[in-house]
Amino acid sequence: MSKPVKADPAMFAPCPQPVSSEKTPEESAALAEGLHKTDNPAEWAFVRLSRLIKEFESRLDPDDEVGVRGVGMPGDGVLMIHDLGFWGPDLLMFFGRDPDASR
């Protein structure tokens, strides 16, 4: 019989506020509101990054899109992000298309 696993109390601690030169303390507190650490590092990063992206996109015009330019990627390294995911315990996944519409 396996021994029951006890939850880490740190998982239920409030999320620390992000630190940013662009945000007021009130805006930073709003970003962290309601978040609680998960025991999967990839999921924990995914949850916070998803919230940051949604908050950023809320300030864009409807015709604007978010993209990323990565170093070491094929071509010019531009990726138009359509989705974000994770594969625990240590991988964040970005899904999208390059300027030629290739995945």
Side-chain angles (χ1 to χ4, degrees):
M1 181 174 269
S2 63
K3 184 177 176 182
V5 178
K6 292 186 179 183
D8 180 359
M11 290 176 51
F12 302 103
C15 177
Q17 293 181 10
V19 177
S20 170
S21 62
E22 295 181 0
K23 303 263 181 243
T24 66
E26 294 78 20
E27 291 169 325
S28 292
L31 274 173
E33 186 176 327
L35 291 181
H36 296 279
K37 185 177 180 189
T38 68
D39 60 350
N40 181 325
E43 181 181 11
W44 180 223
F46 167 81
V47 167
R48 291 175 293 147
L49 187 55
S50 295
R51 185 168 286 196
L52 285 170
I53 290 170
K54 286 178 184 175
E55 189 272 336
F56 178 79
E57 286 181 331
S58 73
R59 296 181 279 131
L60 295 177
D61 290 331
D63 296 332
D64 290 340
E65 291 187 11
V66 177
V68 65
R69 182 180 302 266
V71 177
M73 291 176 59
D76 60 5
V78 172
L79 176 67
M80 291 167 279
I81 299 169
H82 297 151
D83 198 7
L84 176 67
F86 70 92
W87 187 356
D90 58 357
L91 185 64
L92 289 175
M93 300 180 295
F94 296 87
F95 300 94
R97 298 194 178 270
D98 68 12
D100 296 327
S102 296
R103 292 180 180 193

